[in-house]
Every structure is written in C-alpha cells, then in structure tokens.
Amino acid sequence: MKRVFSGVQPTGNIHIGNYLGALKQFVELQDENECIYCIVDEHAITVPQDPKELKKHILDVAALYMAIGIDPKKSIVFVQSSVSGHAELGWVLNCAANTGELFRMTPFKAKSQGKQSVGAGLLTYPVLMAADILLYDTDIVPVGNDQKQHIELTRDLAIRVNAKYGKDTFVVPDGRFMKSGARIMALDDPTSKMSKSAPNDHSRISLLDEPSKIKKSIMRATTDSDGIVKFDIENKPGVSNLLSIYSAFTGKTVEELEAEYDGHGYGDFKKDLVEVTVNALAPIKERYNEIRESQELIDALKDGAERADAIARKTMERVRDRFGLGL
Ligand code: AMP
Ligand code: TRP
C-alpha cells in the first residue's frame, strides 16, 4: 500500500478548482492506499487571520472533506496544529533549505511583490509543506498544478538530507495531478487561476454556492465572440476552461464534448454546464449541512490526530537520531 498525504488551507471559499484539482483525487485514492488528509492551519497564519474565523474555517474544511466522501475510518483526517511534528520537522528542514531556493518560489514572489515587510512565514512556508509530506513517509501527494514547484522543493530537500544523513531518512514523494482539473481558471478572467481570495465572487464557484449563484457565475463567465465550443487555450481560454470543468465533472473527454456541442452556441453549452455543476455539488452541500455541527466531526478529527501523531513521532525519532539532536 502506498502512503498518500495532502492538505488544504482553512481559508474559506473552497471552490471547484480545489475540488477538481485536488479534493476529488483524495476520494479516488482512499480505497487502495493509506491516506492522510490534513487541514493545514499553520499554513493559513502566513497571512493575517482572525482567530475566530480561522477556527470556524478549520471545521468548515473538515466537514467538506467528509461531505465529498472522505471516510475518516478509511483515511486519517486531522488538523495540522494538533500534531507538533509538523512545526518540529519544519525547523529541521529550514536548516537544510537555502534562502535562494525559497526566494525563487513563484507564490512567494507573487505574494511579497518585492516587499521586505511581509512575514518570514510566507518565505519559509514551502519548507513547512515539505515537512508535512516527509513527516509521514509519503509516496504520493495529490495536488493542483500550482503546487508543482513546492513538490519539487520537497523532493530536493528529501534527496539532499538523504545524501547527507542516510538514504532512508526520508521517502522521496511524487506529486499526482489530474488530467482535466489540475488548473481551473477564474471564470471572469481565464488567464489567472481560480482563487479563494479574488474580490469578484463570480470569478469562482464555491462548493456551497446556491444554484442561482452558480447559474449567474457560469452564464456571465468570460468567453469570446466566435461562438464555437472548441478547446484552444491560446485563443479561447474562457471556453477551454469551461470545457475542462465540464469534462472533470462528467468524465467525458474534451473531444466528446466538442462533438456534442458542434453547431450549438455558448448559451446551450453554458446552460448544460450549470446543470452538471449544480447536480455535482448538491449532494456535497446536503452532506455538509448534516455533518458540520456534529460531534461525529470533532471525534473524527481527534481520532485522526492521534493516528497521525503516532506516525509522526516515529519519523521524528529517526530524524533526531540521524541529525544528532538530543541525548
Ligand atoms: P489551497 O486552497 O491553496 O490550500 O489549495 C488546496 C488544493 O487545491 C491544492 O492542492 C491546490 O493545488 C488546489 N488548487 C487550488 N486552486 C486551484 C485551481 N484553480 N485549480 C486546480 N487546483 C487548485
Ligand atoms: N501549499 C498547499 C496549498 O497552498 C497546501 C499544503 C500544505 C499541502 N501542506 C501540504 C498540500 C502538503 C499537499 C501536501 O494549496
């Protein structure tokens, strides 16, 4: 059995990009692998957070995990800060990373925009992500395309530490990316990725959006004026993005969809996509509402933290020993 690890930040507005790029894979993988799914609250505080909101968002994401079909009996589901090994291994790996490679990370460059006043956590955050992964001897990391560079860094750090401290100190993990869905773009601007924080609510579809909101967001999504449903990222990024979403939700290939909508305008295509999206999200929302306030949710997270901690402790013992830390 392979070990799978991934995480999502508890920052509200979990959207169909998160779902089609990452979360959907979490469910697919859980039957055949040993899966560990984390709510990475320590990552969220790299930017200012309201403590009350953060606490709420942690449970929101946990409930969404369960609502999409993650079974806490099969998979370990827990909150990052409940297991101290993440921060501890994060420190050790910070001492193995170079500042240069961290300054080169695209998300850091985008978020800091050259300013020195941003939190140091924003710079060292990819190292904490590497710690999350390496702490569990992870083989596979299901994520969206935007995390490719972070996975590469994780691999580099593992290989570097193994070369110096012994080749089985860390398992070197692989990223896992979806064919359609790995990079869902914003509906109002198909040249930037769909994000939780974009000010325009119609740029994204959140997993708990009402059908009327989903309809509005899709019907007003940016397309082009030639009226042909065809995948062409360069010249038709808007329609291509909608095709990717349609394909990811239904399992139909882009070619099949192009054939199906040959001769139809964008109106028909978008109307059907609204239906597909609403139908895919309805059961998630229903299950979410059942579980969000339940004791079952809290119990699952507590149990998950204990199981995760047992694995993490073993890794940390090995790491301390290899690095010569402690008595
Ligand atoms: P985050 O919200 O940044 O914690 O991301 C959670 C997961 O969703 C990560 O695996 C991301 O790579 C993935 N993800 C975020 N945005 C998108 C997007 N627009 N398209 C596909 N995957 C995404
Ligand atoms: N950095 C990821 C993101 O922003 C979230 C994350 C943190 C993660 N630790 C992880 C993803 C470990 C996979 C594995 O989306």
Side-chain angles (χ1 to χ4, degrees):
M1 262 206 187
K2 298 253 189 210
R3 174 82 49 78
V4 173
F5 182 96
S6 195
V8 173
Q9 297 199 38
T11 39
N13 286 337
I14 304 278
H15 51 68
I16 57 170
N18 298 124
Y19 179 65
L20 299 173
L23 293 164
K24 208 161 147 262
Q25 302 192 64
F26 294 11
V27 184
E28 285 168 13
L29 287 163
Q30 74 175 345
D31 287 330
E32 316 251 304
N33 302 278
E34 198 183 340
C35 296
I36 307 179
Y37 298 126
C38 187
I39 298 141
V40 289
D41 55 347
E42 290 169 339
H43 285 272
I45 59 167
T46 52
V47 295
Q49 296 288 342
D50 175 76
K52 276 206 193 98
E53 284 290 302
L54 181 57
K55 271 219 187 316
K56 183 179 153 299
H57 287 148
I58 288 171
L59 292 179
D60 291 346
V61 173
L64 269 178
Y65 273 177
M66 315 288 177
I68 60 163
I70 294 172
D71 176 352
K73 291 202 180 66
K74 282 189 201 152
S75 303
I76 295 179
V77 181
F78 77 106
V79 183
Q80 184 185 29
S81 63
S82 313
V83 176
S84 60
H86 292 259
E88 198 179 349
L89 184 57
W91 175 254
V92 173
L93 291 177
N94 260 317
C95 298
N98 315 127
T99 52
E101 64 193 345
L102 301 183
F103 279 117
R104 280 197 297 275
M105 294 285 132
T106 317
F108 173 73
K109 286 199 273 191
K111 284 188 184 158
S112 63
Q113 295 179 331
K115 290 190 295 250
Q116 303 215 333
S117 55
V118 297
L122 216 48
L123 177 67
T124 56
Y125 148 107
V127 180
L128 182 59
M129 172 162 165
D132 299 338
I133 296 167
L134 301 180
L135 190 57
Y136 297 96
D137 294 333
T138 303
D139 301 295
I140 302 168
V141 188
V143 277
N145 262 359
D146 60 335
Q147 298 300 311
K148 259 195 180 146
Q149 208 183 14
H150 291 158
I151 303 287
E152 269 316 300
L153 177 77
T154 305
R155 291 171 55 86
D156 289 347
L157 289 174
I159 291 167
R160 191 176 307 159
V161 168
N162 286 353
K164 183 153 188 213
Y165 297 96
K167 68 174 172 21
D168 55 351
T169 306
F170 292 128
V171 172
V172 181
D174 286 303
R176 184 182 192 269
F177 308 94
M178 295 299 265
K179 249 178 128 189
S180 338
R183 190 171 173 82
I184 299 296
M185 309 309 279
L187 297 177
D188 61 338
D189 171 14
T191 58
S192 56
K193 75 169 181 158
M194 186 175 284
S195 95
K196 291 168 171 175
S197 56
N200 180 3
D201 210 25
H202 290 294
S203 68
R204 70 187 147 254
I205 294 171
S206 298
L207 295 190
L208 302 175
D209 274 351
E210 292 297 335
S212 58
K213 151 72 176 61
I214 295 173
K215 185 172 176 195
K216 253 191 209 144
S217 301
I218 291 179
M219 294 316 283
R220 63 171 70 170
T222 303
T223 48
D224 50 60
S225 53
D226 72 8
I228 300 167
V229 180
K230 191 171 171 329
F231 193 91
D232 176 352
I233 292 261
E234 286 266 301
N235 302 308
K236 299 166 69 68
V239 173
S240 303
N241 188 42
L242 297 180
L243 274 166
S244 297
I245 295 171
Y246 202 137
S247 162
F249 271 129
T250 57
K252 291 183 188 172
T253 65
V254 165
E255 295 74 35
E256 281 168 344
L257 291 170
E258 284 173 348
E260 195 174 325
Y261 289 96
D262 188 21
H264 293 258
Y266 295 151
D268 287 349
F269 172 62
K270 281 181 163 182
K271 237 186 262 155
D272 289 352
L273 180 57
V274 170
E275 199 182 312
V276 161
T277 308
V278 168
N279 288 343
L281 300 187
I284 295 178
K285 197 177 164 115
E286 195 183 321
R287 175 87 181 112
Y288 176 89
N289 288 333
E290 280 165 19
I291 200 163
R292 173 61 178 82
E293 302 301 330
S294 71
Q295 185 59 34
E296 185 190 342
L297 184 66
I298 309 287
D299 292 345
L301 292 173
K302 284 189 180 156
D303 176 61
E306 273 176 31
R307 288 154 70 200
D309 192 53
I311 304 171
R313 275 172 194 275
K314 280 203 193 125
T315 311
M316 282 319 298
E317 259 173 45
R318 185 172 78 231
V319 168
R320 274 188 227 105
D321 178 56
R322 293 290 168 86
F323 278 74
L325 294 166
L327 290 178

